Every structure is written in C-alpha cells, then in structure tokens.
Amino acid sequence: DAKTTQPPSMDCAEGRAANLPCNHSTISGNEYVYWYRQIHSQGPQYIIHGLKNNETNEMASLIITEDRKSSTLILPHATLRDTAVYYCIVRAVNDYKLSFGAGTTVTVRA
Amino acid sequence: GAGVSQSPRYKVAKRGQDVALRCDPISGHVSLFWYQQALGQGPEFLTYFQNEAQLDKSGLPSDRFFAERPEGSVSTLKIQRTQQEDSAVYLCASSVLLAPYNEQFFGPGTRLTVL
C-alpha cells in the first residue's frame, strides 16, 4: 500500500529551482517524510528528512504543510547532475525499512 | 572513506544456477539491509541485519533466498536455483544505528540477469 503519491515525471531547466511535490494524506503523527534520489545505475542517495518543520541542508529544502498531508522538495538551482528518480518516503519512528514507491523521474534540461 | 561496495556489479546466470552476491558495508555500521529493484520500479525491502543477527527477513520472496552476515560486517545474499523472475538489481545499504533518522547508505547494486 503506497503511503505517498508523486507525479511520475517532471522537467526542469538548468539553473532554475525544481519543486517536487509529494502527497502523504494518511501520514501519522510518528511518521517522518524522507527524500532519496537515485541517479541512473547508482544506489539511492539520502537527501533530507523532516517531521513537521521545514528543513534545509546543502542539497535541498523540504517544505511540509501544516497539516502534514503533503510536502515539497526544493532543489534550489538544478544542475544536469540532478537528473534522477526522486523518492518521497513516509517512515515511522520504529520502522527501519524504507518503502520506496515509483518516485518522480526528474529531467534537468540545459 | 569508502562507501558501501557490492560485488559482482553484474552477474548473468542460467536458470537453475545458484548465485552469491556480496556486500561490504561502511566500516562500523551496525545495520545492513538488502533490497531488490525490478526494472522501472523502486527498491523493495528484502531483509535486515543488526550486527550478525538477522532481525527481519519478511521481504525475502521465497525460501530460495538466503542472507547471512556471520561476523557482523560483510554480508552475502544467496539465491538458489535462480528463476527468470529473480532478474533484478540487488541493493545493499548500511547505516550507523537503527534510529530512523540515520540515513541508509546504498551501494551501487548487483544487476542479476537470469537467462
């Protein structure tokens, strides 16, 4: 049972911000939102995670709505190397597994 | 330092053969995970180790799949009597601790093709 819904694909212009939406309307209070990405022929790579506050690190920003039913991953200045499949994952505090869905295929174009 | 490494990177097996896939986690990482990724899909959990103890093998698709981590470091995923439906990328990941905020570091995967 998918806990998240993401668009299957999106394009982004190089140098512009990429905003990746994720819907997780059934999220529980003890569940975090994680984002991973997978560049072609590589393993998934952690990007960021959050519970209810917005988060920022050197890779991206995560904006979580107040009701926690959706979130947006922001890549501030997309580069060609950001072309990848991006996975939004909901994960409980006591759950060690990562449950990947189909993700969003992001293509950054020059 | 070195990341998670997996070998071989590619494996072609004839149907019915046994295969063994190796994972070298990041040194000192307590937790180790195996995932299976079919073409065009996201990875799916297979099994989890904490040190040498296999705490969860609920994702292993059949009794032909077996994983071990005897000394709490290197892990091997073995598939007996391979079938065509076993063709996939097998990913290994490790993390420092079990806590959910500890990110999992993934290896590049082993692409298994069963003919």
Side-chain angles (χ1 to χ4, degrees):
Chain A
D1 291 340
K3 290 188 174 182
T4 64
T5 303
Q6 298 178 253
S9 64
M10 61 184 296
D11 286 359
C12 176
E14 187 179 23
R16 304 293 296 270
N19 296 283
L20 284 62
C22 180
N23 184 292
H24 32 80
S25 58
T26 61
I27 193 170
S28 301
N30 68 342
E31 290 179 321
Y32 289 76
V33 179
Y34 279 76
W35 285 83
Y36 276 73
R37 74 179 183 184
Q38 187 172 24
I39 295 170
H40 183 63
S41 296
Q42 297 183 21
Q45 174 192 24
Y46 167 84
I47 301 173
I48 199 168
H49 76 278
L51 184 61
K52 53 184 177 181
N53 297 322
N54 298 337
E55 302 288 343
T56 295
N57 63 21
E58 65 280 3
M59 289 184 69
S61 294
L62 174 60
I63 308 298
I64 302 174
T65 58
E66 191 169 345
D67 63 7
R68 301 187 69 236
K69 293 184 176 182
S70 65
S71 61
T72 301
L73 178 75
I74 301 172
L75 307 177
H77 305 286
T79 70
L80 298 179
R81 289 180 296 178
D82 292 322
T83 292
V85 179
Y86 287 76
Y87 298 99
C88 172
I89 299 166
V90 165
R91 184 185 184 193
V93 168
N94 59 350
D95 190 1
Y96 42 79
K97 306 174 193 175
L98 291 171
S99 297
F100 295 84
T104 296
T105 300
V106 173
T107 304
V108 180
R109 303 191 185 279
Chain B
V4 178
S5 61
Q6 293 186 245
S7 60
R9 290 294 315 276
Y10 303 91
K11 176 68 178 179
V12 178
K14 292 183 179 178
R15 190 175 59 176
Q17 282 186 331
D18 298 348
V19 298
L21 313 180
R22 177 186 170 107
C23 172
D24 286 79
I26 294 173
S27 177
H29 278 197
V30 169
S31 298
L32 185 143
F33 306 83
W34 284 97
Y35 292 83
Q36 179 190 57
Q37 185 171 24
L39 187 64
Q41 299 182 22
E44 293 194 358
F45 171 81
L46 292 178
T47 187
Y48 161 67
F49 289 86
Q50 185 172 342
N51 294 307
E52 69 279 1
Q54 188 175 20
L55 300 186
D56 186 344
K57 52 183 181 180
S58 63
L60 296 177
S62 77
D63 58 7
R64 296 185 296 103
F65 286 70
F66 172 76
E68 60 182 5
R69 194 186 185 197
E71 298 180 357
S73 55
V74 172
S75 177
T76 304
L77 176 67
K78 298 179 180 179
I79 309 173
Q80 297 177 324
R81 304 181 303 281
T82 53
Q83 303 295 316
Q84 285 188 324
E85 61 263 29
D86 300 334
S87 294
V89 174
Y90 291 85
L91 295 160
C92 175
S94 69
S95 67
V96 175
L97 292 171
L98 178 59
Y101 46 80
N102 290 120
E103 64 182 281
Q104 293 184 20
F105 294 85
F106 283 81
T110 294
R111 180 177 296 278
L112 173 65
T113 303
V114 182
L115 302 177

